[in-house]
Amino acid sequence: MNALGLAILTLALGHVFSNAVRTLPAMAADVLQRDLGLTADGLAALTGAFPAAFALAMLPVGVALDRYGVKPTALALLAIAAAGSLLGAAATGPWSMLAAQIVLGIGCSGMLMCPVTYAAKTMPPQRFGLWGGIIQAFGNTGMLLSASPLALLVDHAGWRSGYVACALLAAGAATAVALVVKEMRAAPQAPRSMLADVREVLALSLSRDIRGPVVIAFASFAAVLGVRGLWGGPWLMEVKDLARVPAGNVLLACTVALIIGPAVAGVLERRFQRHRSAILVAGHLGAAAVIGLIVAGGPLGWGVAADVVLLAAFGLLISAQVICFALVRAAVPPERVGRALSAMNMSFFGGAAVLQALSGLAASAGGIGAALLVFAVALTICSVAFLRLPGPR
């Protein structure tokens, strides 16, 4: 691997951390509720603070990536993320855990954007789609840590140890970035205020250039976080009556698919660029259908093997979301790529915050199956809207 590829993967270690820490509640939901005095919908609302803070932080992060560079932005965010993990480990009630989730959301806000922006600014557009998939695939290995390994850790040392382990991971990633990544010189720009830069990020998110990817992104990552990061564990443990470690083993199927899927999607995007929008929509509609089948399997009494297959299929199909990054990269010049990608990432995590809150309400009214169906409906609506909106194809 050349130095550029090594630098990109080193920056992606932050994305590994982000995926591990934000999916931690899926394998510790019951003990988190017990120790923090929360209901199921309360836990959903509390953990929803993570994507909400993440989405808001994308405004300054997008500006910082273009104005100050990738390396200093990554180091600052990793320090914040490590502090958030330690706050999570020390949480004693809902309010202290809420503070931890907010700090973690801010710290993780650029963990994907840092390697993606670095790749976008150093690689030709025709190679960016493939590398976008590689970054996402590598980063999704963090979910491996929050499946069976975390289940074992929670059973033997408690959920707080999971947050301590994540803090150590963030510190290791920061050390690697400091040693490996070489900062690129930022292109000279006319003097302008931070407020003007923030306004540009907001304007980009509503612009015709990237409106379509922004809309489908609203439901895309929300579904990943909802199925793999929050409700997948409770569904397997409470509806399918699995113990924590066996549930973690089942979730590994989804995790492995989420690691393989982005790389496959990146290859498909590069080979079938004229049809990449069709691949994107087909993946999201297919993921919505799979969620519906998972929920149907509860009353129909389908065995655990069906959940393994369906969760793996969900992970592969939803991984088409990496095509959103290629669509946005192709729509803007290099000097605006950090802002444009951050504008879309705001939608990824803003949607996650909104839909996670809605899923909590659905869970309190109709159970975990109703919570999962929130994401299936959102995927369908946003996919249809994508097809009807102008934007990069």
Side-chain angles (χ1 to χ4, degrees):
M1 181 182 296
N2 60 25
L4 177 57
L6 180 61
I8 291 171
L9 292 182
T10 300
L11 287 164
L13 287 171
H15 191 37
V16 174
F17 161 85
S18 180
N19 274 309
V21 78
R22 68 183 172 221
T23 55
L24 191 156
M27 290 313 305
D30 55 338
V31 288
L32 279 171
Q33 291 175 47
R34 181 197 67 201
D35 292 351
L36 300 179
L38 294 166
T39 60
D41 56 323
L43 179 62
L46 190 150
T47 55
F50 178 103
F54 190 116
L56 291 174
M58 285 311 307
L59 286 167
V61 166
V63 173
L65 286 169
D66 284 337
R67 180 178 283 204
Y68 304 116
V70 172
K71 183 175 181 177
T73 302
L75 290 173
L77 291 172
L78 284 164
I80 295 169
S85 295
L86 294 176
L87 284 174
T92 56
W95 291 107
S96 51
M97 180 56 79
L98 177 64
Q101 291 295 314
I102 291 172
V103 174
L104 280 169
I106 294 170
C108 291
S109 59
M111 297 306 189
L112 176 58
M113 285 300 95
C114 286
V116 166
T117 301
Y118 197 88
K121 291 188 174 185
T122 56
M123 291 188 167
Q126 61 268 27
R127 294 183 62 199
F128 175 71
L130 176 61
W131 268 95
I134 292 172
I135 291 166
Q136 189 82 302
F138 182 72
N140 284 350
T141 60
M143 296 186 200
L144 287 173
L145 302 176
S146 64
S148 300
L150 179 66
L152 290 167
L153 187 61
V154 170
D155 273 348
H156 288 87
W159 59 267
R160 297 180 191 279
S161 61
Y163 282 106
V164 172
C166 286
L168 294 174
L169 178 58
T175 302
V177 169
L179 295 175
V180 173
V181 178
K182 295 182 179 179
E183 186 53 75
M184 304 167 294
R185 289 177 177 265
Q189 298 183 25
R192 54 189 292 165
S193 68
M194 180 68 73
L195 183 59
D197 282 328
V198 168
R199 280 201 301 264
E200 183 179 358
V201 175
L202 290 172
L204 276 168
S205 67
L206 301 174
S207 70
R208 179 186 179 91
D209 292 340
I210 65 171
R211 194 179 303 162
V214 165
V215 167
I216 200 168
F218 186 84
S220 184
F221 184 72
V224 176
L225 198 60
V227 173
R228 174 59 186 85
L230 183 59
W231 297 114
W235 171 264
L236 294 168
M237 289 187 281
E238 296 177 26
V239 178
K240 293 303 185 77
D241 295 323
L242 293 181
R244 190 183 317 280
V245 173
N249 292 336
V250 173
L251 286 177
L252 273 176
C254 184
T255 304
V256 171
L258 286 167
I259 293 169
I260 297 171
V264 173
V267 172
L268 291 175
E269 187 278 333
R270 186 175 183 181
R271 181 167 295 183
F272 303 106
Q273 287 199 4
R274 294 182 63 183
H275 304 289
R276 56 189 177 186
S277 291
I279 297 170
L280 177 65
V281 171
H284 283 67
L285 290 176
V290 168
I291 293 174
L293 291 173
I294 291 172
V295 174
L300 291 176
W302 294 352
V304 174
D307 287 306
V308 172
V309 173
L310 290 171
L311 284 167
F314 169 80
L316 289 172
L317 289 165
I318 200 66
S319 294
Q321 64 188 209
V322 299
I323 293 174
C324 289
F325 295 103
L327 290 172
V328 171
R329 170 63 185 89
V332 298
E335 64 272 13
R336 300 175 72 198
V337 72
R339 294 170 173 85
L341 290 170
S342 296
M344 191 194 68
N345 219 28
M346 281 175 56
S347 183
F348 266 122
F349 282 85
V354 172
L355 295 176
Q356 192 157 307
L358 289 176
S359 75
L361 296 175
S364 63
I368 297 172
L372 288 168
L373 287 176
V374 167
F375 302 102
V377 172
L379 285 169
T380 302
I381 293 172
C382 290
S383 297
V384 172
F386 172 83
L387 291 173
R388 299 181 64 85
L389 285 171
R393 293 288 183 266

